[in-house]
Amino acid sequence: MLGLPKGQVYLTKWTEEWEKEFIDEKGKIEKLLQPYAVAIHHIGSTSVKGLSAKPIIDIAIELNQFNEGEHCVMPLKGLGYAYKGTNILPDRHYFSKGEPRTHQIHMYESGNKYLLKQLHFRDYLRLNRQAKIEYEQLKQRLAKTYANDKHQYAAEKTNFITSLLKEIQNL
């Protein structure tokens, strides 16, 4: 049920297994990353009940200080994560697990603007049925159009996400 081959984009219907997988993985991570992990969040579409998603569990880890992420590389490697560095995505340590990829970790300093945007977006979709439907329809259309281009798929979602975040700020 989990896993997205490199370079491919497709969506899977939401399943409770994703929540169970997150809880299981969170427990393993918490044990390894004490005292560095302040909080561990399930983010991305797999965290929104009823929303189709790429079958990858996205995890956000908050740290007290960004440079503490360096202390987390080896413990996470023991769980099968590959460290991809800090240059892939802004202001975060990025890790991936599996081939096909089953999990991603985005590690931020607590209070980071990118983390807060992800949490706000997730929470809004959880509470707003219409926004969730619109986002799912967009993602389904984009997954068909960009089935072999994950970067373009992600870029095309940006306008929707940005406008929704602006709407949230104005509430």
Side-chain angles (χ1 to χ4, degrees):
M1 200 65 142
L2 276 182
L4 187 67
K6 196 172 194 121
Q8 292 185 21
V9 176
Y10 61 84
L11 303 178
T12 304
K13 280 185 100 47
W14 186 86
T15 173
E16 288 182 19
E17 293 302 316
W18 291 343
E19 185 61 29
K20 292 175 187 172
E21 181 63 32
F22 166 73
I23 291 168
D24 181 55
E25 198 73 4
K26 178 183 177 183
K28 293 174 189 174
I29 292 168
E30 282 175 328
K31 289 177 187 172
L32 290 176
L33 298 189
Q34 292 177 357
Y36 304 111
V38 174
I40 301 174
H41 307 277
H42 190 183
I43 59 171
S45 294
T46 60
S47 70
V48 180
K49 186 175 183 175
L51 182 61
S52 295
K54 294 180 294 179
I56 300 170
I57 305 298
D58 280 292
I59 300 168
I61 299 176
E62 288 186 60
L63 306 170
N64 281 315
Q65 295 181 13
F66 185 73
N67 64 354
E68 291 175 339
E70 297 166 13
H71 301 291
C72 302
V73 174
M74 290 309 290
L76 289 172
K77 194 173 188 177
L79 285 180
Y81 285 92
Y83 182 55
K84 304 297 184 177
T86 59
N87 296 326
I88 301 221
L89 298 164
D91 296 338
R92 72 191 88 180
H93 296 274
Y94 176 70
F95 300 79
S96 67
K97 180 178 183 178
E99 188 51 53
R101 190 168 28 125
T102 59
H103 298 74
Q104 301 180 126
I105 291 177
H106 310 265
M107 192 175 283
Y108 304 91
E109 184 169 323
S110 200
N112 176 281
K113 68 179 180 179
Y114 297 107
L115 169 65
L116 296 175
K117 285 180 180 183
Q118 287 182 332
L119 295 174
H120 291 310
F121 184 66
R122 177 203 65 194
D123 293 347
Y124 189 76
L125 290 178
R126 285 177 172 177
L127 296 173
N128 189 306
R129 184 176 182 274
Q130 187 57 40
K132 181 171 69 172
I133 290 168
E134 289 174 28
Y135 187 53
E136 181 164 44
Q137 290 171 346
L138 172 66
K139 288 176 21 150
Q140 288 171 341
R141 194 169 60 252
L142 294 175
K144 288 177 186 170
T145 304
Y146 301 110
N148 296 308
D149 189 345
K150 71 177 184 175
H151 298 292
Q152 194 61 40
Y153 168 83
E156 294 285 333
K157 293 188 307 179
T158 300
N159 285 341
F160 180 88
I161 294 167
T162 301
S163 68
L164 193 65
L165 287 170
K166 284 180 185 174
E167 182 181 318
I168 293 168
Q169 286 178 335
N170 293 329
L171 293 178

